[in-house]
Amino acid sequence: MMKFSSLVIFTLVVVLLGSAGQLVLADSTQVSNTVSLSHLSVKLAYPSEVLPSQSITIDIQATARDSFRLKSLEVQVYFADGNSLRQLTTATVSKDLYMSKGDQINKDIQTTVPADAPRTSLIALVSETATMTYYDYSYYYYYPPYYYRNYSYYYVYYPSYSYSSVTDDGIAPLSYIKATTPEYVSLQTAYQMLQQKLDQTQAENQQLKQTLDARQATINQLNSDIAALNQKFTSAQGTITLLEVTSIILVGILVALAVYTFRERNRRAAGAAPEPSPPAA
């Protein structure tokens, strides 16, 4: 594992805090960032946001900027926890590979965010170690025996090689961790209380609606009964009116018969009586 200098740690924290403010409003789409090293250009693609306890995949695409021998390419993932850095993953992308300009390395690495991670950003430390070859030539003067008399000579080159490993580091912000905050927990608690009250109110409204529906059904039944009674009353009222008219007609007939009978009786009585005698002279 690579040891960091104080400058590297400070740089990581500064970039981390700066990137956190930039990614707060990002959605969960794929975004990318590129780290330029001495021999490689490393592109990192990752989701813009991640939740605690969630795993993410980081797509790595490294492109050679020149021809060289790659001893190793590593990616380490960190996040800031208070005043310190916590390491999540160390992944070797490639090692012991000769690369020409334009050659590419593609690899996916995965990491899981701890459940207790704070609201901040993940950050990647990308490290390349290249093996450099240095050439040197030495020569010496050679006097062949048959040239001794003319003092002639020639020299011969002897190439020599030396190797050294050179490391270059770069950092880049990764996914923003959408962890809960005390304000969020307070709002969530208030929301749950309001949700419980809403559920209770909805249950009471449902009960009232059932009661109202039952009463409405009773009212509808009463209206139906009243309509039937009104129909019966209207029918009975028509019958009574008919009976009243019939009674009046019958009474009229009876009165007429009585008058006729009375007159007829008087007429007969008057016809049967003797005529009176004339008075004496």
Side-chain angles (χ1 to χ4, degrees):
M1 182 183 298
M2 182 179 298
K3 295 183 179 179
F4 296 119
S5 65
S6 299
L7 179 60
V8 173
I9 294 178
F10 176 77
T11 305
L12 282 171
V13 174
V14 170
V15 173
L16 177 63
L17 295 178
S19 62
Q22 298 173 358
L23 295 176
V24 168
L25 300 178
D27 56 20
S28 297
T29 56
Q30 285 287 115
V31 294
S32 62
N33 220 323
T34 301
V35 178
S36 294
L37 303 176
S38 298
H39 302 282
L40 290 171
S41 177
V42 183
K43 181 180 179 181
L44 306 170
Y46 49 89
S48 60
E49 293 178 350
V50 63
L51 297 173
S53 302
Q54 184 178 357
S55 297
I56 63 169
T57 298
I58 304 170
D59 178 64
I60 301 172
Q61 183 183 77
T63 304
R65 298 158 62 94
D66 53 20
S67 298
F68 70 103
R69 177 168 291 279
L70 179 65
K71 186 176 181 179
S72 67
L73 175 62
E74 288 188 347
V75 175
Q76 301 177 20
V77 181
Y78 294 83
F79 70 92
D81 189 2
N83 296 325
S84 61
L85 292 173
R86 287 175 61 181
Q87 182 176 348
L88 296 182
T89 302
T90 298
T92 300
V93 179
S94 182
K95 62 181 180 179
D96 297 331
L97 177 67
Y98 180 81
M99 301 189 70
S100 298
K101 184 177 181 179
D103 289 348
Q104 288 189 343
I105 302 171
N106 293 279
K107 186 174 182 179
D108 292 342
I109 65 173
Q110 290 187 334
T111 188
T112 301
V113 179
D116 61 344
R119 184 175 283 258
T120 183
S121 287
L122 298 176
I123 196 164
L125 174 67
V126 184
S127 303
E128 69 169 18
T129 301
T131 301
M132 306 302 297
T133 304
Y134 298 94
Y135 300 91
D136 192 14
Y137 294 91
S138 61
Y139 60 91
Y140 70 95
Y141 296 98
Y142 177 69
Y143 297 89
Y146 52 87
Y147 282 146
Y148 277 173
R149 284 173 292 179
N150 296 326
Y151 300 99
S152 297
Y153 65 91
Y154 64 92
Y155 55 88
V156 179
Y157 286 100
Y158 283 92
S160 61
Y161 307 92
S162 60
Y163 304 91
S164 65
S165 295
V166 179
T167 299
D168 189 19
D169 299 327
I171 54 178
L174 297 177
S175 305
Y176 181 72
I177 304 174
K178 293 187 65 175
T180 56
T181 61
E183 293 79 9
Y184 176 82
V185 173
S186 178
L187 289 174
Q188 189 178 33
T189 301
Y191 170 78
Q192 291 175 350
M193 294 176 62
L194 290 174
Q195 186 64 44
Q196 291 177 355
K197 291 182 179 180
L198 177 61
D199 293 341
Q200 182 179 359
T201 302
Q202 289 178 343
E204 293 175 354
N205 289 341
Q206 184 66 26
Q207 183 65 34
L208 289 174
K209 184 177 182 302
Q210 292 176 356
T211 302
L212 180 61
D213 291 342
R215 292 182 179 179
Q216 186 65 43
T218 302
I219 292 173
N220 292 338
Q221 183 62 41
L222 290 175
N223 289 334
S224 178
D225 294 342
I226 291 173
L229 291 174
N230 286 334
Q231 186 176 4
K232 291 181 180 180
F233 175 75
T234 302
S235 178
Q237 191 175 19
T239 303
I240 292 173
T241 302
L242 180 60
L243 291 174
E244 288 178 349
V245 172
T246 303
S247 298
I248 292 173
I249 293 173
L250 289 176
V251 169
I253 293 173
L254 291 175
V255 170
L257 288 174
V259 170
Y260 175 78
T261 301
F262 178 75
R263 287 180 179 180
E264 186 65 25
R265 185 179 297 172
N266 289 337
R267 187 181 65 81
R268 289 178 181 178
E275 296 182 359
S277 298

